[in-house]
Amino acid sequence: DTAVSQTPKYLVTQMGNDKSIKCEQNLGHDTMYWYKQDSKKFLKIMFSYNNKELIINETVPNRFSPKSPDKAHLNLHINSLELGDSAVYFCASSQEKLAGGRLPDTQYFGPGTRLTVL
Amino acid sequence: TQLLEQSPQFLSIQEGENLTVYCNSSSVFSSLQWYRQEPGEGPVLLVTVVTGGEVKKLKRLTFQFGDARKDSSLHITAAQPGDTGLYLCAGRFSGGYNKLIFGAGTRLAVHP
């Protein structure tokens, strides 16, 4: 059974278009994340939601807008795509222990969405 | 400037050899994790270390957290082709949410 799933797996589009990536987790976790992995394999967090509430919002262009309709889903919408947006986008989830906990919960990653902007 | 520096970036070895991958920072982390990522897949957690000086073993993999909690190492004994992949360290600062800071990764290739 798939724990964290993303659609689509591959996305090829033209500059200036708007596109969405969907993520779903069936682990019952409260927290979900979006990461971007560039061509050098550097993985950087973009957003995190806990129970549909935005809790981490890194320095990301406002062309990127996450949406969490419920705690099992976290979608990423990107407006006016640029060449530099080409990357692999990973969704992840965890059962977060909030402030004060030293031991981080395991983050479970989806298979990634490879976005290519032409 | 990356908070976590991994070395080496690339490592190509023969089956049976030993290797060590390093993860260094000038920052103190409350915990550090090691992930392994295979092509076309997301990272998978291998281990979490929390206490300075802590050593954890996972079969042929040995993980160590530095005494000052600023660095970590991953040692693989008698590497096998199945160990091939991208190894990522990720640190977390105390307090706040589960925000992980990832290193740039070490790409390991083990040849038969």
Side-chain angles (χ1 to χ4, degrees), chain A residues 24-55:
Chain A
E24 176 180 2
Q25 55 94 4
N26 63 5
L27 297 168
H29 289 162
D30 291 333
T31 306
M32 296 183 73
Y33 312 82
W34 276 113
Y35 287 87
K36 179 181 180 182
Q37 188 172 46
D38 61 24
S39 58
K40 295 184 178 179
K41 302 301 181 185
F42 185 53
L43 194 63
K44 188 173 180 183
I45 190 165
M46 301 172 68
F47 302 103
S48 178
Y49 272 74
N50 179 266
N51 273 319
K52 301 192 293 177
E53 180 185 348
L54 182 66
I55 57 171

Side-chain angles (χ1 to χ4, degrees), chain A residues 64-106:
Chain A
F64 290 79
S65 51
K67 277 195 174 63
S68 182
D70 55 63
K71 73 175 190 178
H73 295 84
L74 179 61
N75 304 322
L76 183 65
H77 187 76
I78 315 171
N79 288 326
S80 303
L81 279 155
E82 300 177 357
L83 294 177
D85 297 332
S86 294
V88 181
Y89 291 84
F90 286 99
C91 176
S93 73
S94 70
Q95 188 59 40
E96 172 66 9
K97 296 184 180 70
L98 296 182
R102 270 185 80 202
L103 187 65
D105 290 296
T106 300

Side-chain angles (χ1 to χ4, degrees), chain A residues 9 37 58 96 101-102, chain B residues 37 40 50 92 97-99:
Chain A
K9 176 78 172 170
Q37 188 172 46
E58 291 297 290
E96 172 66 9
R102 270 185 80 202
Chain B
Q37 184 179 11
V50 176
R92 180 188 183 225
Y97 295 101
N98 194 7
K99 176 181 168 181

Side-chain angles (χ1 to χ4, degrees), chain B residues 60-111:
Chain B
R60 292 175 295 100
L61 278 60
T62 302
F63 305 86
Q64 185 162 8
F65 201 12
D67 291 340
R69 289 189 281 126
K70 292 183 178 181
D71 55 87
S72 181
S73 64
L74 157 59
H75 182 79
I76 302 179
T77 303
Q80 298 177 1
D83 295 327
T84 294
L86 178 69
Y87 289 82
L88 297 160
C89 65
R92 180 188 183 225
F93 296 107
S94 59
Y97 295 101
N98 194 7
K99 176 181 168 181
L100 291 177
I101 307 297
F102 279 86
T106 293
R107 190 182 298 279
L108 172 65
V110 182
H111 304 283

